[in-house]
CSV table of all heavy atoms in Angstrom, one decimal:
chain,number,residue,atom,x,y,z
A,328,ILE,N,-2.0,-8.4,13.5
A,328,ILE,CA,-2.8,-7.2,13.6
A,328,ILE,C,-4.1,-7.4,12.8
A,328,ILE,O,-5.1,-7.0,13.1
A,328,ILE,CB,-1.9,-6.0,13.1
A,328,ILE,CG1,-0.8,-5.7,14.0
A,328,ILE,CG2,-2.9,-4.6,13.0
A,328,ILE,CD1,0.2,-4.6,13.7
A,329,ASN,N,-3.9,-7.9,11.5
A,329,ASN,CA,-5.2,-8.1,10.7
A,329,ASN,C,-6.1,-9.1,11.4
A,329,ASN,O,-7.3,-8.8,11.4
A,329,ASN,CB,-4.7,-8.8,9.4
A,329,ASN,CG,-4.0,-7.7,8.4
A,329,ASN,OD1,-4.2,-6.5,8.8
A,329,ASN,ND2,-3.3,-8.3,7.6
A,330,TYR,N,-5.6,-10.1,12.1
A,330,TYR,CA,-6.4,-11.1,12.7
A,330,TYR,C,-7.1,-10.3,13.9
A,330,TYR,O,-8.4,-10.8,14.1
A,330,TYR,CB,-5.5,-12.3,13.2
A,330,TYR,CG,-6.3,-13.3,14.0
A,330,TYR,CD1,-7.2,-14.2,13.3
A,330,TYR,CD2,-6.3,-13.3,15.3
A,330,TYR,CE1,-7.9,-15.2,14.0
A,330,TYR,CE2,-7.1,-14.2,16.0
A,330,TYR,CZ,-7.8,-15.2,15.3
A,330,TYR,OH,-8.6,-16.2,16.0
A,331,GLY,N,-6.4,-9.7,14.6
A,331,GLY,CA,-7.0,-8.9,15.8
A,331,GLY,C,-8.1,-7.9,15.4
A,331,GLY,O,-9.0,-7.7,16.2
A,332,ALA,N,-7.8,-7.2,14.3
A,332,ALA,CA,-8.7,-6.2,13.9
A,332,ALA,C,-9.8,-6.5,12.9
A,332,ALA,O,-10.7,-5.7,12.5
A,332,ALA,CB,-8.0,-5.0,13.2
A,333,GLU,N,-9.9,-7.9,12.7
A,333,GLU,CA,-10.9,-8.3,11.7
A,333,GLU,C,-12.4,-8.1,12.1
A,333,GLU,O,-13.2,-7.7,11.1
A,333,GLU,CB,-10.8,-9.9,11.5
A,333,GLU,CG,-11.6,-10.5,10.6
A,333,GLU,CD,-11.3,-12.0,10.3
A,333,GLU,OE1,-10.6,-12.6,11.2
A,333,GLU,OE2,-12.0,-12.6,9.4
A,334,HIS,N,-12.7,-8.1,13.3
A,334,HIS,CA,-14.1,-7.9,13.7
A,334,HIS,C,-14.3,-6.5,14.0
A,334,HIS,O,-15.5,-6.2,14.5
A,334,HIS,CB,-14.5,-8.9,14.7
A,334,HIS,CG,-14.4,-10.3,14.1
A,334,HIS,ND1,-15.1,-10.9,13.1
A,334,HIS,CD2,-13.5,-11.3,14.6
A,334,HIS,CE1,-14.8,-12.1,13.0
A,334,HIS,NE2,-13.8,-12.4,13.8
A,335,LEU,N,-13.4,-5.5,14.0
A,335,LEU,CA,-13.7,-4.1,14.3
A,335,LEU,C,-14.2,-3.4,13.1
A,335,LEU,O,-13.6,-3.7,12.0
A,335,LEU,CB,-12.4,-3.4,14.8
A,335,LEU,CG,-11.7,-4.1,16.1
A,335,LEU,CD1,-10.4,-3.5,16.4
A,335,LEU,CD2,-12.6,-4.1,17.3
A,336,PRO,N,-15.2,-2.6,13.4
A,336,PRO,CA,-15.8,-1.8,12.3
A,336,PRO,C,-14.6,-1.0,11.6
A,336,PRO,O,-14.8,-0.6,10.4
A,336,PRO,CB,-16.7,-0.9,12.9
A,336,PRO,CG,-16.5,-0.8,14.4
A,336,PRO,CD,-15.8,-2.2,14.6
A,337,TRP,N,-13.7,-0.4,12.3
A,337,TRP,CA,-12.6,0.5,11.7
A,337,TRP,C,-11.4,-0.5,11.7
A,337,TRP,O,-10.3,0.3,11.7
A,337,TRP,CB,-12.4,1.6,12.6
A,337,TRP,CG,-12.5,1.4,14.2
A,337,TRP,CD1,-13.7,1.6,14.8
A,337,TRP,CD2,-11.5,0.9,14.9
A,337,TRP,NE1,-13.4,1.2,16.1
A,337,TRP,CE2,-12.1,0.8,16.3
A,337,TRP,CE3,-10.2,0.6,14.7
A,337,TRP,CZ2,-11.3,0.5,17.3
A,337,TRP,CZ3,-9.5,0.2,15.9
A,337,TRP,CH2,-10.0,0.2,17.2
A,338,GLY,N,-11.4,-1.7,11.8
A,338,GLY,CA,-10.1,-2.7,11.7
A,338,GLY,C,-9.3,-2.3,10.6
A,338,GLY,O,-8.2,-2.5,10.7
A,339,TRP,N,-9.9,-2.2,9.4
A,339,TRP,CA,-9.1,-2.0,8.2
A,339,TRP,C,-8.2,-0.8,8.2
A,339,TRP,O,-7.1,-0.7,7.8
A,339,TRP,CB,-9.9,-2.2,6.9
A,339,TRP,CG,-10.9,-0.9,6.8
A,339,TRP,CD1,-12.1,-1.0,7.4
A,339,TRP,CD2,-10.7,0.3,6.0
A,339,TRP,NE1,-12.7,0.4,7.0
A,339,TRP,CE2,-11.8,1.0,6.3
A,339,TRP,CE3,-9.5,0.7,5.4
A,339,TRP,CZ2,-11.9,2.3,5.7
A,339,TRP,CZ3,-9.6,2.0,4.7
A,339,TRP,CH2,-10.9,2.7,5.0
A,340,ARG,N,-8.8,0.2,8.9
A,340,ARG,CA,-8.0,1.5,9.0
A,340,ARG,C,-6.9,1.3,10.1
A,340,ARG,O,-5.7,1.8,9.7
A,340,ARG,CB,-8.8,2.5,9.7
A,340,ARG,CG,-10.0,3.0,8.5
A,340,ARG,CD,-10.6,4.2,9.1
A,340,ARG,NE,-11.8,4.6,8.3
A,340,ARG,CZ,-11.8,5.2,7.2
A,340,ARG,NH1,-10.6,5.7,6.6
A,340,ARG,NH2,-12.9,5.4,6.5
Side-chain angles (χ1 to χ4, degrees):
I328 293 173
N329 290 340
Y330 179 77
E333 182 178 5
H334 299 293
L335 298 174
W337 40 266
W339 65 274
R340 296 187 188 274

